[in-house]
Structure formats: structure tokens, C-alpha cells
Amino acid sequence: MTQTLKTKVLIIGAGTGGYVAGIRCGQLGLDTVLVDGGDGLGGTCLNVGCIPSKAIIHAAGKYETVAKAADGGTLGITTATPAIDLSQTVAWKDGIVKKLNNGVAALLKKAKVKVIKGWAEFSDAKTCTVKTADGDIVISAEHVILATGSEPVELPFLKFGGDVISSTEALSLDAVPGKLVVVGGGYIGLELGIAFRKLGAEVAIVEMADRLLPLYDKALTDPVAKWLEKHGVELHLGAKAGSFENGALNVTGADGQAMKIKADKVLVTVGRKPRTQGWGLENMGVAMAGPFVKIDDRCATSMKNVWAVGDLTGEPMLAHKGSAQGEVVAEIIAGHDRRFDPVTIAAVCFTEPEIVSAGLGPQDVAGRDDVIQAVFPLMAIGRALAIEAGEDGGFVRVIASKTDHRLLGVQAVGQHVSEMSNSFAQMLEMGAVLEDVAGVIHVHPTLGEAFHEATLRALGHAIHI
């Protein structure tokens, strides 16, 4: 039997864009239905992305620390040789995900959002049929928010299945692979490749570009490259992956020579693409911008009262962007005057060491003589040395206008620098000048002192260097 349902707001996708939009709609008193047809409440980020990957990365770091203690000791601490039961680690990770799933469900319930589990298919811009376990539900809405997210890109000659895996399967392995080959040297491949290396796997990385993390400048990525070299990670740069046969990946090296790399698992991380297929987007009449849904600065599509947020709308494909867009759309529907026009959306790579970038980088200001750049090394920060975070070449860099000292960009590389990302974004969003950061009394001892010192250095009077 087919049910029918009418609502003020219909949200498709329960990821960080969709569920946040739902909660905010509920808070604003809007009758709201949220259709969850993907990975579960929280979407990719909570279920098979940001959160579980950081849990596995954390566990890998703990294992590495114990392994160091067993291999001659560290910080005066010695211990027996460690072992890991990855299935137990994954079960712990799954427990975190379940707790967060339940939290999102409770928040949506509190906001009086009706959640329907099922796959939606649109027949026109404001009407969809949701196939659920209890039958079909036809939903019509005054406003539709599309938040379908993204999915891993699959290579035609390396189809997912068996020992060829995406990041989703990598986060649920029941044992550490003896040899892991990662195809793609972007942030997802490096984060997971480094984690599995810490857990004891032999790791090789195959990347088409001539260096890792090509979207970041070389100074930021050099400490990561040094970690990989120091820890025996095999790098094949300027190389092209081919098929996987008989336990070996076919690769064409930078010199054009063919080689075979043995692998127990091949992790393909060559990017993500917007989830635009299978739910009737073609029946909605919205304009596209390449593979993405085209939106304006209100997150409005070309179809009246159809909105889109998150990965579906283009780069940067970051969870926090989708959440911010979701809030904006909810408030616009409720009658508020809002725009999505951030000064910056900071990005973090949870590699070893971590990388943060907010605003303009050196490549964006190359050749300009109207900017100031200053770098302060973490090795000159007491807190960094005390937690072993200052000896891997880490630093904080500020870029500012030479004329009015307005901050244009802030970057950092080093252990735990992800925790400074919000400070960087906040200062840029507020239009801070170098003197603003320099005038803030930064807590000692913290890593954040490096941000303070970098601005002092840009002004010509750093204290601790």
C-alpha cells in the first residue's frame, strides 16, 4: 500500500549537511521530513568517513607508541612487544559510530523532524517516492533540500570488490593486511596508508602526480614525505596503476617501465564524486555545474524552492562546509536573510604529521610583492618539544597584506596542529590583521603559541627565534 505525505521541508540525505539542516529547520518550527537512504544518520562522515577514520588513526598512533616502547623504549618507557586484534579495534570504532548515530537520532527527534529510512526517487522537483521496508511513501514538499553527498570514485580497471577496496571497506577490515597498496596519494589514501603502516602493514603508494598531496605546497607536504621515507613506505610517484591480478597490482612507473607490486589489499582512493545517480535528479530540472548541482550564494538551485548543500554542490568536499550550508538554507526557508559567503573553509589532513590550510597559500600569492610571509618552527615551542611534536619539521606560516597587515592565509604542519584550525579560520573570518593576533595573549605552554610567534615574526619582532 502506498502512503502519501505532505511537508513544508523535505531533505534528501542524512549526512552532515542534511541532518544539520533538519535540526535547524525543526528549531525554527518548520514541518520537516528527512529521508535517509545512504550510510545511516550522519552520512559518510559519521559512518564510513571522518569519524571512523580518525578513530582508526588514533588507535594506530597508540599502537605505534607501544611498539616504540617495545623496540628499545621511548621516553624511558619500555614494554613487551604489542599485538593487535583489528576486529576488536573495528568493534570499538563501530561503538563510537553507533553512539553518535543515536545522538543524531535523538537530536532530530527533539527537533520534531520525521525521519524516513529508505531510498527516494523524484518524479518532479517537489515530489518523490521513498521505497521503505514497509512500502512506498509518496512525499510532496514546498521546499526540497538535496544533500545526497558523495561516493568514492571507482576506476574501470580496478572495480571495487574482493581485495580491491575503498576507504569504506578499509575501515572495517578484520585483520591488518601484510601488504597494502594505496592507489592515490591524496589525503584519504595517505591518512589510511599511514595508519596501516603504524599498525604494522607494509605499505606502497601509487600516485600519478610527481608528488604527494599535490593541492598543498611542498613545504607543507615535505614533513609527511619524510615520515613516509623514514618508516619504509614505498612511493611510486608519476606512476599509473593498472589491473590487479594474481595478488599483484600492475603499475607503469614514471620511466614508462611496467612493474608488478604484490598486495594483499589494494586501497583505491583517487577521489570522490557527487552522488547524482539513482534518485531522479534528471527529473528535477535543476542546472548543473559540471558533475555538481549548480547553486548560488543562498544554496538555491535553478528550480524555485529546491536547495542543495554539501558535496553535491562542489569543492571543497568537506563535512563542515555542508553543515554550514544546511544551517543557512534552513534559516532562509524560515524567512531570514542569509547568504553562504565564508571568508575561508579550513581543511585538515590527518596525516603524520597533520596539515592545516586556511585562506590563501604561497601558490596563490606567487609573484606578488604586496604580501608578507612568515614561518615559525614548532621546534622553538616548548609544548611541542614536551609532547614530541617539534622534531618533524613542523611549522606555522602566516600570509598577510603588506599594506594593511590583513591576514590572507594561515597554514601549519605538525603533530596535533589540527586543533589550531579553528583559530586560523576564526581570525580570517573576522578580518583580523597581524596586530590582532599578536595582541592576543596566547596560553603557555600550548602549540597555539606558534601562531602568535609567526605573526610577531611577520611584524619583525618574534620573541623566541
Side-chain angles (χ1 to χ4, degrees), residues 144-395:
V144 173
I145 304 175
L146 301 175
T148 56
S150 62
E151 57 196 4
V153 171
E154 186 176 52
L155 293 172
F157 47 86
L158 275 177
K159 296 280 189 184
F160 294 132
D163 292 327
V164 178
I165 61 176
S166 73
S167 56
T168 299
E169 293 78 36
L171 293 168
S172 293
L173 293 174
D174 57 8
V176 177
K179 178 69 176 283
L180 175 70
V181 177
V182 180
V183 177
Y187 76 95
I188 296 174
L190 284 182
E191 285 182 4
L192 294 176
I194 287 170
F196 278 104
R197 181 68 192 108
K198 288 181 178 181
L199 291 170
E202 289 183 33
V203 175
I205 297 172
V206 178
E207 166 59 43
M208 283 185 67
D210 58 3
R211 66 182 187 85
L212 299 170
L213 296 168
L215 294 180
Y216 294 91
D217 65 271
K218 190 172 180 296
L220 282 178
T221 61
D222 273 350
V224 177
K226 287 175 184 173
W227 189 95
L228 295 171
E229 182 181 359
K230 180 179 178 182
H231 291 81
V233 174
E234 193 181 316
L235 290 181
H236 299 278
L237 301 177
K240 295 181 181 178
S243 58
F244 179 63
E245 300 166 331
N246 302 318
L249 179 70
N250 292 301
V251 175
T252 304
D255 58 2
Q257 293 295 309
M259 65 182 95
K260 291 182 181 293
I261 305 175
K262 290 184 178 179
D264 296 300
K265 299 289 181 184
V266 175
L267 170 58
V268 180
T269 57
V270 293
R272 297 183 65 83
K273 62 181 180 179
R275 191 175 280 124
T276 56
Q277 302 297 313
W279 49 271
L281 175 63
E282 62 277 6
N283 299 326
M284 299 185 74
V286 300
M288 303 295 288
F292 302 104
V293 170
K294 186 178 182 180
I295 58 170
D296 62 14
D297 63 355
R298 299 166 71 244
C299 301
T301 71
S302 59
M303 179 63 70
K304 183 176 173 58
N305 291 348
V306 175
W307 317 82
V309 302
D311 290 0
L312 185 64
T313 66
E315 298 288 355
M317 295 168 105
L318 298 170
H320 41 291
K321 182 196 79 171
S323 296
Q325 288 177 319
E327 287 189 68
V328 166
V329 170
E331 292 175 10
I332 290 172
I333 292 172
H336 299 193
D337 184 14
R338 290 294 311 275
R339 294 286 188 275
F340 182 70
D341 185 26
V343 173
T344 186
I345 303 173
V348 177
C349 292
F350 290 87
T351 43
E352 187 65 55
E354 295 173 349
I355 297 174
V356 177
S357 183
L360 301 183
Q363 65 274 31
D364 301 310
V365 297
R368 287 175 55 175
D369 58 6
D370 61 338
V371 297
I372 307 167
Q373 295 191 49
V375 171
F376 194 87
L378 289 181
M379 129 184 249
I381 297 295
R383 171 70 169 164
L385 294 179
I387 59 172
E388 300 181 282
E391 298 175 0
D392 53 14
F395 61 84

Side-chain angles (χ1 to χ4, degrees), residues 106 138 241 318 338 408 423-424:
V138 177
L318 298 170
R338 290 294 311 275
L408 302 175
S423 178
F424 298 168

